[in-house]
Amino acid sequence: MTVLSRGPERTRVARLGPATALWRPRTVVVCALLLLALAVALLVALSVSVNFVPPARVIATVFGHGTPAERLIVGELRMPRALVGAVVGLALGLSGALFQSVTRNPLGSPDVIGFDTGAATGALVAMLFAGGGVVPTSVSAVLGGVCTAVLVLLLAQRGRSVAPLRLVLVGIGIGATLAAVNSMLIVGAQVYDAQSAAVWLVGNLAGRGWDRLVVLGPVVAVALVLALLVGRSLAVAEFADDRAASLGVAPDRVRLLAVGIGVLLASAAVATAGPIAFIALAAPQVARRLTRATGPNLLASGLTGAVFLVLTDWAAREAFQPRQLPVGVLTGVVGGLYLIWLLGREWGASRPGAARGGRL
């Protein structure tokens, strides 16, 4: 294998026979550190609570050497919720990175352009009119997300291609309409069903068990592999269409494939935990700042989303004892503060004299 350094971002080309792969040392290091941070976040979520379990005992329990009480607390109550949170955060981070790359817009996340709302509509129909259940809710959410995506893509078409800015604007409009539909569904439901649906719409990981992980895990694993396979072509498709075509990439086809994978990831996450806000929007931006690399930064975005959701769910579970907040409340607060900080930073950078004095 030969490794060559090229470009200002220190991209390296690894060659093994006829196969080549591009990688950046900083991105590899960031992903490794994010994996370590995810392991630490999972350990904190399994250990630190009202009923504290020492980290050494948590590790022993994970490997099958815990006491019956530890197996109940760690293995049956905390571990499924933490792992579901990690997989949902991974799915949301990946989905946000895909959509932001397709739209070439930092606001192009599935919760902004309506795909999460469409998946929530499908899940609400299953919950309120078909008795709920893991499989019917999941299938209905995916169908809702797919139908919303098809509608948005059809309305966003300009000629034979999809205009990225038009995609964002149409998606925002469709999302607002579907949010009104969701409110109508809740208002027309029975009181108990309406209360459960309203809590679910905030985004919640409480009560998520192994059955959810069995359904969600394979879907996200397959979508992750597909996303990584399309990632290199998607990075090229971020250029102007004529330049991407000159490099051997069909931009419209790549974007359509990326949208399909992103819709699958977002719909699976919504079906499992409800429409959790801001992770799909913020995780790719944080990952890009950590790696300082161009392109979609898929793996780093997914790991950032996983770490963020596991930690925020643990905080929502423990910070307000004896009550627990839905995790969507806390991600909304943190995401809102992040957006305020980001807008303030950009405003400071755009002020006269900012180039001389540096960014605030």
Side-chain angles (χ1 to χ4, degrees):
M1 181 177 69
T2 61
V3 179
L4 305 175
S5 178
R6 72 174 197 179
E9 296 173 358
R10 301 180 64 185
T11 302
R12 297 178 184 270
V13 182
R15 293 177 180 171
L16 183 59
T20 62
L22 300 179
W23 61 283
R24 298 180 177 91
R26 183 183 177 91
T27 300
V28 173
V29 172
V30 167
C31 289
L33 292 176
L34 286 171
L35 277 173
L36 179 60
L38 179 58
V40 173
L42 288 171
L43 185 61
V44 169
L46 297 179
S47 175
V48 181
S49 182
V50 175
N51 296 314
F52 176 76
V53 179
R57 297 306 307 163
V58 169
I59 296 173
T61 303
V62 169
F63 287 98
H65 303 297
T67 65
E70 290 169 344
R71 288 197 296 269
L72 173 63
I73 295 173
V74 175
E76 298 299 326
L77 298 179
R78 298 180 187 171
M79 189 183 297
R81 176 171 176 170
L83 291 178
V84 168
V87 177
V88 168
L90 177 69
L92 291 174
L94 279 171
S95 180
L98 288 168
F99 282 117
Q100 290 180 21
S101 179
V102 167
T103 61
R104 306 170 192 167
N105 192 319
L107 293 178
S109 67
D111 48 347
V112 173
I113 59 179
F115 296 158
D116 277 9
T117 311
T121 303
L124 280 176
V125 170
M127 293 169 60
L128 298 177
F129 301 107
V134 176
V135 175
T137 302
S138 300
V139 172
S140 186
V142 172
L143 289 176
V146 169
C147 292
T148 304
V150 170
L151 179 60
V152 171
L153 288 173
L154 288 176
L155 294 177
Q157 273 192 327
R158 179 180 295 171
R160 301 181 62 181
S161 62
V162 176
L165 180 59
R166 189 181 178 91
L167 178 66
V168 174
L169 296 176
V170 171
I172 291 174
I174 296 295
T177 303
L178 290 174
V181 172
N182 293 345
S183 299
M184 290 177 60
L185 290 174
I186 292 176
V187 169
Q190 299 294 327
V191 174
Y192 177 77
D193 293 337
Q195 288 178 337
S196 300
V199 172
W200 178 85
L201 277 176
V202 176
N204 198 3
L205 290 172
R208 301 310 188 263
W210 292 110
D211 55 340
R212 301 280 182 158
L213 195 61
V214 168
V215 176
L216 177 68
V219 174
V220 175
V222 171
L224 172 61
V225 173
L226 294 176
L228 294 178
L229 289 175
V230 80
R232 182 174 178 181
S233 298
L234 188 59
V236 176
E238 290 184 357
F239 298 129
D241 287 0
D242 54 349
R243 184 178 179 186
S246 68
L247 295 173
V249 172
D252 289 335
R253 187 183 306 168
V254 170
R255 290 178 192 136
L256 185 61
L257 181 58
V259 167
I261 298 170
V263 168
L264 178 62
L265 287 165
S267 301
V270 170
T272 303
I276 298 176
F278 280 110
I279 290 183
L281 179 67
Q285 299 300 312
V286 174
R288 186 182 291 263
R289 282 169 170 75
L290 291 175
T291 62
R292 298 178 186 173
T294 58
N297 287 285
L298 295 176
L299 188 56
S301 299
L303 291 173
T304 301
V307 173
F308 182 52
L309 187 54
V310 170
L311 289 177
T312 50
D313 182 59
W314 167 73
R317 188 188 74 192
E318 301 300 328
F320 303 94
Q321 288 289 348
R323 302 185 64 180
Q324 296 186 19
L325 281 181
V327 66
V329 174
L330 202 54
T331 60
V333 172
V334 175
L337 293 175
Y338 170 76
L339 283 179
I340 292 173
W341 171 82
L342 186 62
L343 289 172
R345 188 170 183 266
E346 294 300 323
W347 176 79
S350 64
R351 291 174 59 191
R356 296 188 301 271
R359 289 191 172 189
L360 296 178

